[in-house]
Amino acid sequence: MSSPSGEPVRNVAGSTAASGFDIDDPALAESISAGMARVEELLHDSVRSEFDFATRTSLHLVDAGGKRFRPLFALLAAHFADPSPDEVITSAAVVEMVHLATLYHDDVMDEATMRRGATSANMRWDNSVAILTGDFLMAHASRLVADLGADAVRRMATTFEALVTGQLRETIGVGDGQDPEEHYLQVIYEKTGSLIATAGRFGANAAGATPEQVAALESFGKSIGIAFQISDDVIDIASAATDSGKTPGTDLREGVLTLPMIYARDASDTDPRLLELLGQPLSSDDDVSEALKLLRESSGLRRARAKLDEYAQDSRAVLAELPACSARDALEALVHYVVARTR
């Protein structure tokens, strides 16, 4: 679909809307495009510093682009009420700035070399610069969120805690006697779902939505955030080329057990060779290719898709509580997209 100006409206996956998440209402699409332009402007203005090097390192990922899923969701949430207040744009910029900060830190922990098609900050400079740039962005996000009021500050503090706790849980791994599936779902809620839920809450609250609508959009953000991460993990195994920009088998190389792998390990019909491969990080391309082939044939991948369908249904049930409008239609299209991209 195109905007009134004839330019393609971009979707949450960073591709044209025709290939995935459509905003069918031209007026809503135009409003979202205008809002996202203001978010980009605020992101650029907010990270500027009298110390030019800090500005350059902060703009490194801002300028690299990306899905901008979190601010887009905040803007859509605002369209259940009045999307015009400046606080709506601030809310959208805050959640994206926090997300960018976590990417700088993640790339250090993962020893990443690329991010969004560009050399990662830790490789372009070094780990210390990447960590400090993430901290710099967190500081500026905190300054922005202060303009949204005390409740928003408390909510963001809770979200910060969830983001860090989720990373710690993933780093430490599954504890003795802990269910691996529950551990996985808790990790992806904290690392992914928590900030997306906050995006929905902030956008709706800034727009003056009712408390019930704010709660529903926060709940939707949680469930669709978890669903989005499950779909990413399925795509990492099932697809030769991924929408997320990841090389297939990235999780296998990093030794991260995602839901399809967890289910495959627990299944009675899993090939013993796959169990052997899943017991360690894989550095050999041949081993990764073999593990991917076996996972694609396993019941673990089918069960992961079924779990994705459950979260998609939860998301639709929450949307049913919201008033019918173009924004709800767009979010329903998003749910469809999150599932369809894995098929």
Side-chain angles (χ1 to χ4, degrees), residues 132-197:
L132 291 169
T133 300
D135 293 345
F136 182 83
L137 288 175
M138 284 289 193
H140 282 274
S142 298
R143 178 175 55 80
L144 282 177
V145 80
D147 294 335
L148 300 177
D151 181 70
V153 172
R154 282 190 292 268
R155 180 65 57 169
M156 187 53 75
T158 301
T159 305
F160 283 157
E161 180 183 7
L163 291 168
V164 174
T165 302
Q167 187 62 64
L168 281 170
R169 288 186 203 275
E170 184 176 79
T171 301
I172 299 302
V174 182
D176 292 339
Q178 188 175 13
D179 180 74
E181 180 183 356
E182 290 181 1
H183 176 267
Y184 167 88
L185 292 173
Q186 183 68 21
V187 165
I188 65 173
Y189 161 64
E190 290 175 333
K191 287 189 61 178
T192 302
S194 65
L195 186 56
I196 295 174

Side-chain angles (χ1 to χ4, degrees), residues 102-115 120 122 127 167 170-171 191 250-251 253-254 256:
T102 66
L103 297 184
Y104 282 91
H105 292 163
D106 285 350
D107 285 346
V108 171
M109 295 188 67
D110 297 340
E111 299 180 353
T113 60
M114 298 292 292
R115 169 66 70 176
S120 60
N122 51 301
N127 285 346
Q167 187 62 64
E170 184 176 79
T171 301
K191 287 189 61 178
T250 296
D251 296 317
R253 290 181 174 88
E254 295 176 355
V256 176

Side-chain angles (χ1 to χ4, degrees), residues 12-30:
V12 294
S15 59
T16 58
S19 67
F21 168 42
D22 293 320
I23 298 179
D24 289 329
D25 184 329
L28 177 61
E30 184 176 22

